[in-house]
Amino acid sequence: MAVDAEHISRRFGRRWALTDISFQMPRGSVMMVAGPNGSGKSTLFRVLSTVIRADQGRASVAGFDVKTHRDDVRRAVAFLSHYSYLYESLTARENLQVAADHAGLTRDRVMPLLDRVTLAARADHAVSTFSAGMRKRLSFARVLLQDASVVMLDEPYAQLDPDGFALVDDVVRDLKSRGTTVLIATHQIDRAQKLADAALFLDEGRVRR
Amino acid sequence: MIAALRKEMLLQWRTRTQLMAVFVFGATALLLFSFGVGPNSEVLRQFSAGFLWLGLLLSSTLTLAESFHAEMENRALEGLLLLPADPRVLYYGKAIANWIQLTLLGAALVPIMVVLYDAGTSRLFSLLAIIALGAAGLSAPGTLYAAMTAQIRAKQTLLPLLLFPLIVPALLASVKATSLLILGDPMRTLGSWISLLASFDAIYWALCGLLYGRVVEE
Amino acid sequence: MNNRFPRLPYVLLAIGAVLFLFGSWWGLFVAPAEVYMGEVQRIMYVHVPTAWNWMLAVIFTFISAVVFLFTSDYKWDARVEAGLEVSSLLAFLLCCQGSIWAKPTWGVWWDWDPRLTSVAVLLFAFLGIVALRNFVDDAPRRAIWSSVATIIASVDLPIVYFSVKWWNSLHQPQSTPETVSPAFHLPLRVNAFAILFLMTGFIMLRARIASMRLANEVAPPPLVEAGEMA
């Protein structure tokens, strides 16, 4: 199992954001996670990508426990978050280079990736000049840089135009063909359904049957 | 580690205009100190070291806080930690970058000090060394506390509140050492002050590196 | 804090108060006046015990912070919270006592005595951490951060002491109301224990309050069974 979650629960203060979430994903599968705003999709992704810890339950991603083998999980996972993880004063190219450097990867992947997300023309412009859609594409490129075995995309379609939608679909199909496990949290249920092998519906932090 | 340093230097270079602004702030502070004391050249000269370091200390609250602005606006720091990057490496990268910045700032304020307070020394290399050591003492705990306060509401007030009592030994030693260079060192105590400063630096560079992970991770 | 002996802090406070009255009465009225410094020196009967206990309080807070970082058990965070406030109170009292002694003796309210100056620095440091606690709403983060800050500040204490001692040694002689001959030992010891009991009682009570608040913030509300909507 690429992702195995058992009774994951997480609260913020007195409110339970996730309650008793359990599911499994075989390697290479694509799962869509859907639900209204505030249903806990982002929280779930943050727990699985080890940004935050679960209060109860356990989970393993790519064969590693998220609590005890955090760094191993991080090495295996690439996470597209709500936050762009970008440095405003650096250029697109530099942002990717920084990520590559810190991940121990070579810098020659950077330009091809910028090409892929059609940002090559703006490679040397500061991110502060980018529109929301361009930042999203750049964050996408950052995710692809990491060559992860598990990719988690939190609202990948948000802020993108129709071309961008097509790009996301393309990339997900690509990843799937390479055996990468993909989780997609989204409101675009119709689009994602075409790509996904399975779906998880969340409502108020619980799995909705 | 090189990756971290490279990024820090790049970020600093990109925001170098801010450093200029902080320098002006520091210089203005030095000017205001002299207004506070009065146009008595002898008195000003005697306290010149104190003014220099107070000016640098006040300026440091600006640069230290600023150093985490870029990390927090889009949660870039979290992004790096997820790659995964070792928090200790990130800490030392940031602390070294802040150290260099503070040393440059201190060195830039020296001419201001010389002019305003008629306080100079021929032992420029020693002066630079003291500035570097003092800046290191500010940078180590400063970077840790800046990381903490960048994540909460009252960031501007809390950083100085936490940092200032802590760096008292570094401040005392730096002022004393600088003063000895400017006013003379008849009893040859400079060495002891430098040792004190170096010990403070060693302890805090080690301790803060150890604790940084707990401060930035959940 | 364990509540097996709920009345214990009150008992300690009561004993402490009685001892303090006794010790202070002895020190103020019965013990002979000191030869050189006269009546003013009597403040030592309160000052020295306060100083000893302050040191204990700081060490207690430091150890609680370290233990918390290792165990993540919130009762230690409650102890850090209590320890920070009680140490700050004792530090403040020390500074006041020091000033009261210094004015008639040296003519100034503050004479930069290394010990007292270190106390003042640590007072500000701890107050800063108390302020930090007030600005962080998230309980786990607050606990970790204040433990980290406490450790950093406590480690600094000896360094501050030495640096101020050095700094001051070139200008002034040592000046604290410390000279004690055996005739004075009894009231000193009585008061030391008195303040110890008072302090421990206060720390226990304060930690209890902190624990109760933490229990509200940290202990989870009941998890409704899966299948039921809350």
Side-chain angles (χ1 to χ4, degrees):
Chain A
M1 288 292 145
V3 178
D4 187 359
E6 282 175 39
H7 308 296
I8 293 289
S9 302
R10 164 77 197 204
R11 64 184 169 79
F12 293 106
R14 298 194 65 81
R15 185 183 70 89
W16 285 101
L18 292 175
T19 309
D20 200 29
I21 309 285
S22 301
F23 68 94
Q24 290 181 328
M25 285 178 71
R27 199 177 312 172
S29 63
V30 177
M31 182 161 84
M32 169 179 77
V33 178
N37 286 331
S39 53
K41 306 190 293 295
S42 294
T43 310
L44 177 62
F45 277 33
R46 285 164 76 204
V47 169
L48 292 176
S49 59
T50 74
V51 173
I52 60 180
R53 274 186 249 240
D55 288 310
Q56 288 177 21
R58 45 162 300 282
S60 77
V61 175
F64 296 108
D65 185 285
V66 296
K67 218 171 262 198
T68 56
H69 289 83
R70 211 171 53 178
D71 278 350
D72 293 310
V73 171
R74 289 177 174 182
R75 218 159 282 137
V77 170
F79 180 34
L80 181 77
S81 165
H82 272 307
Y83 301 99
S84 64
Y85 293 162
L86 299 173
Y87 289 100
E88 295 283 323
S89 54
L90 301 186
T91 67
R93 191 203 301 257
E94 284 163 348
N95 263 289
L96 290 185
Q97 283 174 341
V98 164
D101 291 344
H102 280 81
L105 302 165
T106 53
R107 289 182 165 197
D108 42 0
R109 313 164 155 234
V110 168
M111 272 320 284
L113 275 172
L114 284 174
D115 250 329
R116 183 89 169 74
V117 299
T118 66
L119 282 177
R122 302 288 295 260
D124 294 310
H125 292 205
V127 166
S128 51
T129 64
F130 281 16
S131 66
M134 293 163 73
R135 283 152 195 260
K136 197 69 181 213
R137 288 168 191 255
L138 186 57
S139 304
F140 226 108
R142 195 178 180 281
V143 163
L144 294 174
L145 187 67
Q146 295 171 53
D147 240 357
S149 62
V150 178
V151 170
M152 302 188 191
L153 306 172
D154 194 352
E155 311 263 5
Y157 298 108
Q159 291 134 10
L160 291 177
D161 54 18
D163 277 338
F165 282 22
L167 175 65
V168 175
D169 292 342
D170 232 3
V171 167
V172 173
R173 269 189 283 262
D174 221 0
L175 288 172
K176 184 173 180 171
S177 70
R178 279 192 270 157
T180 312
T181 314
V182 183
L183 277 111
I184 310 176
T186 184
H187 287 302
Q188 301 270 355
I189 299 185
D190 304 321
R191 270 205 106 86
Q193 241 166 9
K194 293 188 196 124
L195 305 165
D197 305 317
L200 187 70
F201 291 93
L202 292 182
D203 190 5
E204 307 237 330
R206 291 169 191 277
V207 175
R208 185 153 54 96
R209 309 235 173 262
Chain B
M1 185 70 202
I2 313 256
L5 268 174
R6 245 169 139 176
K7 172 205 108 194
E8 297 296 343
M9 300 280 83
L10 186 58
L11 272 176
Q12 282 213 354
W13 179 249
R14 282 297 149 76
T15 55
R16 59 192 182 278
T17 42
Q18 267 152 12
L19 188 57
M20 195 55 200
V22 176
F23 166 68
V24 174
F25 171 79
T28 312
L30 291 189
L31 186 64
L32 291 180
F33 291 144
S34 34
F35 288 144
V37 169
N40 182 334
S41 320
E42 235 345 275
V43 171
L44 285 178
R45 187 156 185 275
Q46 259 206 308
F47 296 130
S48 52
F51 295 150
L52 175 72
W53 282 100
L54 282 178
L56 187 56
L57 182 62
L58 292 174
S59 309
S60 75
T61 56
L62 297 178
T63 56
L64 288 169
E66 188 56 42
S67 72
F68 276 93
H69 183 236
E71 303 289 351
M72 296 298 166
E73 40 179 356
N74 294 317
R75 300 223 183 159
L77 182 60
E78 180 179 297
L80 288 181
L81 288 169
L82 285 182
L83 282 175
D86 185 354
R88 241 168 296 188
V89 168
L90 294 179
Y91 168 74
Y92 285 114
K94 185 75 79 176
I96 291 176
N98 282 334
W99 174 42
I100 294 176
Q101 200 176 50
L102 285 173
T103 307
L104 284 173
L105 204 50
L109 288 175
V110 166
I112 311 281
M113 173 182 79
V114 171
V115 167
L116 282 178
Y117 313 136
D118 185 29
T121 175
S122 52
R123 300 170 63 180
L124 284 178
F125 188 70
S126 304
L127 182 61
L128 191 62
I130 294 173
I131 291 179
L133 282 174
L138 290 180
S139 172
T143 303
L144 184 91
Y145 281 136
M148 232 189 243
T149 55
Q151 299 176 58
I152 56 179
R153 306 194 304 271
K155 49 186 85 163
Q156 264 119 341
T157 8
L158 274 181
L159 179 58
L161 193 56
L162 289 171
L163 188 62
F164 286 179
L166 188 70
I167 48 90
V168 161
L171 183 66
L172 283 182
S174 306
V175 170
K176 212 55 207 170
T178 309
S179 202
L180 289 172
L181 276 186
I182 293 173
L183 300 173
D185 186 10
M187 291 188 282
R188 302 213 155 272
T189 51
L190 183 63
S192 359
W193 289 109
I194 294 189
S195 316
L196 176 64
L197 195 49
S199 318
F200 181 87
D201 289 350
I203 293 175
Y204 278 97
W205 277 78
L207 188 61
C208 294
L210 268 176
L211 295 170
Y212 188 68
R214 302 302 295 262
V215 167
V216 293
E217 296 265 28
E218 228 235 16
Chain C
M1 292 298 291
N2 79 64
N3 281 332
R4 279 177 301 170
F5 306 109
R7 297 214 184 283
L8 183 56
Y10 299 105
V11 170
L12 288 176
L13 284 176
I15 298 179
V18 168
L19 282 178
F20 189 68
L21 286 171
F22 175 65
S24 303
W25 166 77
W26 188 286
L28 285 172
F29 299 110
V30 177
E34 208 267 350
V35 178
Y36 298 106
M37 285 187 269
E39 301 295 327
V40 174
Q41 176 266 354
R42 291 186 191 276
I43 196 154
M44 172 197 66
Y45 292 114
V46 179
H47 189 71
V48 173
T50 312
W52 289 342
N53 282 293
W54 168 78
M55 195 72 243
L56 279 176
V58 170
I59 292 175
F60 170 76
T61 314
F62 172 67
I63 292 179
S64 302
V66 174
V67 173
F68 176 75
L69 282 186
F70 277 107
T71 65
S72 298
D73 181 348
Y74 282 95
K75 75 168 182 254
W76 292 100
D77 179 53
R79 289 172 184 164
V80 168
E81 184 171 319
L84 284 172
E85 290 186 9
V86 172
S87 317
S88 299
L89 177 64
L90 288 172
F92 178 68
L93 288 174
L94 275 178
C95 292
C96 292
Q97 292 160 1
S99 298
I100 294 173
W101 182 82
K103 187 72 175 158
T105 314
W106 296 102
V108 287
W109 289 111
W110 190 261
D111 66 339
W112 300 103
D113 166 60
R115 263 170 289 205
L116 223 45
T117 309
S118 309
V119 170
V121 170
L122 200 68
L123 170 62
F124 287 124
F126 273 18
L127 285 178
I129 304 177
V130 171
L132 176 67
R133 288 186 73 93
N134 275 320
F135 279 101
V136 182
D137 303 317
D138 181 39
R141 194 180 260 191
R142 177 198 320 149
I144 293 178
W145 284 5
S146 48
S147 295
V148 167
T150 304
I151 291 174
I152 292 181
S154 309
V155 165
D156 207 20
L157 181 60
I159 310 177
V160 172
Y161 174 64
F162 280 118
S163 59
V164 176
K165 185 169 176 188
W166 231 337
W167 178 71
N168 208 10
S169 65
L170 307 170
H171 304 285
Q172 285 195 9
Q174 286 287 309
S175 52
T176 38
E178 267 288 298
T179 47
V180 189
S181 77
F184 305 138
H185 278 179
L186 179 62
L188 211 59
R189 291 215 178 104
V190 166
N191 267 355
F193 280 105
I195 298 184
L196 178 63
F197 286 152
L198 285 171
M199 174 182 85
T200 310
F202 279 128
I203 289 183
M204 287 175 82
L205 284 176
R206 184 66 185 80
R208 199 177 279 177
I209 296 175
S211 271
M212 289 195 284
R213 184 169 43 94
L214 276 172
N216 202 37
E217 289 176 325
V218 173
L223 197 53
V224 178
E225 280 305 317
E228 297 169 32
M229 291 299 278

